[in-house]
Amino acid sequence: MAFVQFTRVSLAFGDRDILKDVSLNLAAGSRAALAGANGSGKSTLMKVIAGQIHPDSGERAVQRGCRLSYLPQSGIVHSVKTLREEAETAFIGIQKLIARMDELGAQLEQSKSDTKQTAQLLEEHHRLHETIENSGYYQRSQRIAMVLTGLGFSETDLDRPVDEFSGGWQMRIALAKVLLEAPDILLLDEPTNYLDIEARSWLESWLQDFKGGYLLVSHDRYFLDVTVNEVYELFQGSLKRYAGNYSNYERIRKVELEGLLARYEAQQEEIAKTEDFIRRFRYNASKAAMVQDRVKRLEKMERIEIPESLKKIHFSFPPPPHSGRLVMTLQGLGKKYGSRQALYGVDLVVEAGEKLLVVGRNGAGKSTLLRILAGIDSDYEGQLSLGSGVSVGYFSQDVAETMTGSQSVLETLEAEAPLELIPKLRDMLGAFLFRGDDVYKALSVLSGGEKSRLALLRLLLHPVNLLILDEPTNHLDLHSKDVLLDALRAYPGTVVFVSHDRAFMEALSTKTLELNQGRPRLFYGNYAYYLERLAAEAEGKTEAPASGPGSRSSSRPIAGFGTSQSVATAQIGQATQSAQAARSAAVYRELEKQRQAQIRRLERQEAELLASLEEAETKKARLEADLARPEVYSDGTKVRDVQSQLNGILQKIDELTTQWEQIAQELETVRQA
C-alpha cells in the first residue's frame, strides 16, 4: 500500500516554531482534512509533505513508487498550450513509465530465460504495466473531457489558449491536472476557492470515488463534512488527530477549547496576582525571599496561549434607515450581451428583512442581476423600482480591486466608521484576518484577497437597509465566515446575495431565486429547501417536500448523498458523539467547579498567612529596635525579656514561612491541574 509517513518532524522560521515533533501517516484510503487557525502553518506543512520544503529534523518516508500530487492555494499560471494540450501534460509521468517499460521489454528480449535478473525484469515490467493500466492513460481523452467538464469548462474551451483564462480559471486548470494525474496521495490546499457550487459538488463526488488517499485544506465546512473521515489540527506547532468528519471535530474541539480557555483565564488571574505581589513587596527587605520565589515562578511558568478563533468577536451593523415594506420590484427584467440573452423576463418582489439567495450554474446571469439591482448596470430591459427610503450597499470582487492609495487599512476605516464603532475596529479587522501590523498596510500594497476582505468590511460599516453581496465569503476563513454570518442573520435590513459556500447559503437564506439560462424561478425557502424541490422534481414528484415554504432547514436527505439508512446511522452516530461530548463537558464543569473552590480556599489561607507574616515582621522590627535603645540594653532583665519575645517571633516567622511555602506549592499544583 502506497504511503507517506512523517515521524517527529520539526521546522522553525527564525525564532518561531512552525512544526514541533509532528507525526503523520497518509496512505491509500486516507480521507483527511488539515485544520488550524489562519497563519498556523497549514500550507507550510503541506509543502513539507510534498517535499518542497525540507524540515529541520525528523524523518519523511515515502514508499517506493508512491506517486504524490500537490495543489497549492494560488500562483499557478499556464501559457502557450491550448486547454486540451495543457491537460495532456498531466500524463507526462505515465509517459516516462511507458518509456521505461519499453526499455525493460527490449532487455527481456535479449535476456536468458530462468535467471534471477530475468525474474526481476519481469516483476518490474509487470508492476509498471499495472500502474499504467490503472492510471487511465489509454482512456485519457475521455478522462480529460470528463474532468474539465466537471470543473466547469465547456467543450468549446478545450481548444482555447490557456493564457486567455483568468486567474481563477487558471487554478481550475491546475486542479484538473492534479486530478488527472491519478496519484496515490493527493494534497489539495484550498481547492474550492475558485469553484462554483456545481464544480464543488462534482469535486465532492470525485473525491468520494477516489481510490487513493488525500489531505485537504478548505474553509468550506460542508465540503469537508462530505469528503473526510479524520481531521488533523495544527495548533501552536503540534499536530493532533480527531476521528470523524469536520463537524464532529468542531464539537469535540469546542469542549477541549472551553477547558483551555478556563485554564487560560485562571492562569491570567494567577499571573496578575503574582505580579501585584511582586510590585507591592519588591523593595521590602523582609519579603525578598518571597518576592524572588514569585519571580522564579513566573519565569518557569509555561504560558497558555489561545488561538484567534477562541477570541470571540461579535459585531452588529449600524442601525439601517427605515424603508417601506416593498424594497424592490422587478417587472420583465432582461439583459442582452450582443445576441446572447443573459437574463429573461425576471419578475420579482423583494420585501423588507428578506435574505434572498440567487443561485444558478456558472454563466447563468447571477452577477449580472446583482449589478443591475445595485444600479451599477443601467442597460437593461423591463422595469426596476426601489421602494420608499431604500439605500443600497453593494459588494463584489470588481469593486474591491479598485481600492488603492497610501492610506493604511486602519486609517481608511477610521475615516469612514460611525463613532460608536471606532473602539471596535481592531476586533473587526481581526475578524476579517487583518491582525498585528497588517492594519498598517497601505491600500496600494494589499493583495486581491486582502482588498476583498477590506471592501466587505467597509461596506458593513455604512448604515444601509439593502445589502447586495456577490460572493462575500471568498477569501474568508471559517471563523471569519461565522462572524459575518452572525452579523448578517441579526441584520434587520434586506440582503440579496450570491455565494458558493453551501453552509453559509443554507444558514442565511430565507428565499431562493434560481436562474436557469437567464430564466427565473422563485422558491419560498432556504437553499436546503430548494435542493429538496430539485430532488423531488428529478424523481418525478410534483408535490413539495416535507419542509414547507419558508423553512430554513430540511429533515430529508439530499439526493445523491446516501440512503435513508446511512443517513439514520450518521444521525445516531452524531447523537452519540454529541451526548458523549455533553457528558464530558458536564464532568469537566463539575471538576472545574471543585478545583476553583479549592483554589479560593487555598488563596484565603495564603492571604491569612501573609497577613500574619507581615504582622510578625512588624513586631520583629519593633523588638529589634527596642534592643537598640539604651534603657533596654543597659538593663539585663529587660534585654532577656525582649530577647525572649524576639526569639518567639523568629520561631513564629519560621513556622509561618514553612506553612506559606506549603500552601503556595499546593496552590500552584491545583492551578496547573
Side-chain angles (χ1 to χ4, degrees), residues 269-375:
E269 183 179 350
E270 179 188 1
I271 291 170
K273 288 181 178 179
T274 304
E275 290 176 340
D276 181 61
F277 181 90
I278 293 170
R279 280 193 301 271
R280 283 191 296 125
F281 298 112
R282 180 180 295 275
Y283 303 108
N284 188 327
S286 64
K287 300 288 193 303
M290 289 187 283
V291 168
Q292 285 303 311
D293 178 78
R294 298 297 176 95
V295 170
K296 290 178 182 177
R297 188 190 303 177
L298 280 182
E299 290 174 349
K300 291 190 296 183
M301 182 181 292
E302 187 174 344
R303 301 296 178 103
I304 298 171
E305 297 181 19
I306 61 173
E308 289 293 333
S309 57
L310 265 188
K311 300 173 184 176
K312 292 300 182 185
I313 299 169
H314 300 283
F315 71 89
S316 55
F317 297 102
H322 178 73
S323 70
R325 183 178 65 84
L326 296 181
V327 172
M328 185 180 293
T329 304
L330 284 65
Q331 293 179 316
L333 192 74
K335 171 71 177 179
K336 282 185 178 180
Y337 290 106
S339 60
R340 185 174 75 87
Q341 189 82 33
L343 294 173
Y344 183 84
V346 180
D347 294 322
L348 180 68
V349 174
V350 180
E351 298 187 3
E354 287 183 350
K355 308 294 191 287
L356 176 67
L357 169 66
V358 182
V359 299
R361 296 187 66 84
N362 189 56
K366 304 185 295 295
S367 294
T368 298
L369 176 62
L370 263 58
R371 284 197 299 271
I372 292 173
L373 300 185

Side-chain angles (χ1 to χ4, degrees), residues 654-673:
D654 287 343
E655 292 172 354
L656 289 172
T657 300
T658 300
Q659 292 176 34
W660 170 76
E661 289 174 347
Q662 292 172 347
I663 291 294
Q665 182 61 44
E666 186 179 355
L667 182 58
E668 183 175 4
T669 301
V670 174
R671 280 173 173 161
Q672 293 180 354

Side-chain angles (χ1 to χ4, degrees), residues 150-152 172 191-192 195-209 220 222-223 226-227 361 500-502 505 527 531 558-561:
L151 292 178
R172 291 200 196 198
T192 60
L195 302 183
D196 56 24
I197 193 68
E198 291 78 21
R200 291 186 191 203
S201 298
W202 179 87
L203 180 58
E204 290 163 10
S205 300
W206 190 94
L207 289 172
Q208 287 164 354
D209 294 335
D220 187 324
Y222 180 84
F223 175 77
V226 299
T227 54
R361 296 187 66 84
H500 292 145
D501 187 297
R502 178 161 173 171
M505 295 157 68
Y527 186 68
L531 290 177
I558 298 166
F561 286 95

Side-chain angles (χ1 to χ4, degrees), residues 18 52 163 203 217 235 257 309 337 349 442 494 628:
I18 306 297
Q52 295 189 0
D163 53 13
L203 180 58
V217 174
F235 178 53
L257 291 177
S309 57
Y337 290 106
V349 174
T494 308

